[in-house]
Amino acid sequence: MSTDYSQVFQDTDAVEKYEHVTYAPDSYASQINERQGAYVRAMVVREFGPNRPVQHDFACGTGRAIRTLHGLVREAHGYDTSAEMMVKAAEVGSHAQWHLVAADGPVPDPVVTDGPAIVTMFRLLLNVDDEVRERALAFAAKALPTRADGVLVVENHGNTGSVRHLRARRHRGDRWFAELSHAQVAALLDRHGFEVVRRRGFSMLTPSLHERRVARAADALLRRVPGAGRFAVNVLYTARRKK
């Protein structure tokens, strides 16, 4: 696991690679992003109806989660430790108010807003250490003090219950290979007063299999099998405060 994630993206070349190589058209990451985007948009419409929420996107990066919800939220706020990431976010058309936060220290305060909110955390939990995870969830708890205040959506893109886990031994010590189980994510949420109300998987494949046409067809079929989502590599959790 990389424990210096926040430092990596202070470099503009790393930001450019993330936006234009990792998320190149038809790449594994961009396909997952499209599936997740459709799911989250439908969820926001279902959960909030005409009462559009405010979005707080923690570790916003280049604003993919913010762009996903354009037109479905009243306003959006992006929080990140990398000013370079937020500059790129604005350049590529992410519309939000940007807030630079420290990599450590006190839990950042969300902007005070009226009405319901959605807190999004994509591609964060897997890339940071436990201390940062706890800090991120403490931020979400501040933004959503009660159950009626809205929903939290977090991503785990390295589920230990997926086929990706078969590579764990080979990648032991790899700074970019990390895993989280469903139980670990649920426990993290629980410690901050949240409970999982919905879980959805988006790919049964690892990136290395993505280019194989047969594997992609099998992935599409497997995703339709009831209960298969718990074995997905990429999983989104929707959570609410317990009270």
Side-chain angles (χ1 to χ4, degrees), residues 173-226:
D174 185 336
R175 67 195 296 265
W176 288 115
F177 190 93
E179 297 181 293
L180 286 171
S181 68
H182 296 314
Q184 286 175 300
V185 174
L188 173 65
L189 292 166
D190 179 72
R191 284 195 295 276
H192 293 273
F194 290 94
E195 63 180 355
V196 177
V197 296
R198 195 171 299 110
R199 185 176 74 193
R200 177 70 175 266
F202 293 90
S203 176
M204 313 299 287
L205 295 181
T206 61
S208 61
L209 294 172
H210 176 258
E211 299 302 324
R212 301 180 186 180
R213 184 176 299 177
V214 172
R216 290 170 71 170
D219 178 56
L221 291 172
L222 286 170
R223 291 199 314 272
R224 298 190 183 102
V225 176

Side-chain angles (χ1 to χ4, degrees), residues 40-222:
V40 174
R41 286 193 298 272
M43 182 271 289
V44 167
V45 171
R46 183 176 63 250
E47 292 281 348
F48 297 99
N51 191 16
R52 294 186 300 165
V54 171
Q55 181 182 14
H56 299 280
D57 189 28
F58 195 77
C60 62
T62 58
R64 290 192 170 274
I66 288 169
R67 296 198 297 276
T68 288
L69 295 184
H70 278 173
L72 295 178
V73 297
R74 299 197 317 278
E75 59 184 273
H77 296 272
Y79 307 80
D80 206 284
T81 59
S82 169
E84 288 78 6
M85 277 289 212
M86 292 187 289
V87 167
K88 176 57 67 175
E91 286 179 0
V92 298
S94 304
H95 304 302
Q97 297 179 45
W98 309 107
H99 310 278
L100 187 67
V101 298
D104 52 22
V107 176
D109 290 318
V111 174
V112 177
T113 59
D114 294 325
I118 178 171
V119 177
T120 47
M121 294 181 185
F122 283 56
R123 295 183 73 89
L124 171 67
L125 298 187
L126 204 68
N127 295 328
V128 295
D129 58 24
D130 288 336
E131 182 178 352
V132 178
R133 290 180 189 129
E134 299 290 346
R135 191 165 176 263
L137 266 292
F139 170 89
K142 282 187 173 184
L144 301 169
T146 73
R147 191 175 183 88
D149 287 314
V151 297
L152 165 65
V153 181
V154 299
E155 179 186 23
N156 173 15
H157 59 290
N159 169 29
T160 55
S162 69
V163 295
R164 181 179 183 270
H165 180 66
L166 298 175
R167 301 166 56 201
R169 184 181 298 246
R170 181 157 53 108
H171 287 275
R172 185 175 298 165
D174 185 336
R175 67 195 296 265
W176 288 115
F177 190 93
E179 297 181 293
L180 286 171
S181 68
H182 296 314
Q184 286 175 300
V185 174
L188 173 65
L189 292 166
D190 179 72
R191 284 195 295 276
H192 293 273
F194 290 94
E195 63 180 355
V196 177
V197 296
R198 195 171 299 110
R199 185 176 74 193
R200 177 70 175 266
F202 293 90
S203 176
M204 313 299 287
L205 295 181
T206 61
S208 61
L209 294 172
H210 176 258
E211 299 302 324
R212 301 180 186 180
R213 184 176 299 177
V214 172
R216 290 170 71 170
D219 178 56
L221 291 172
L222 286 170

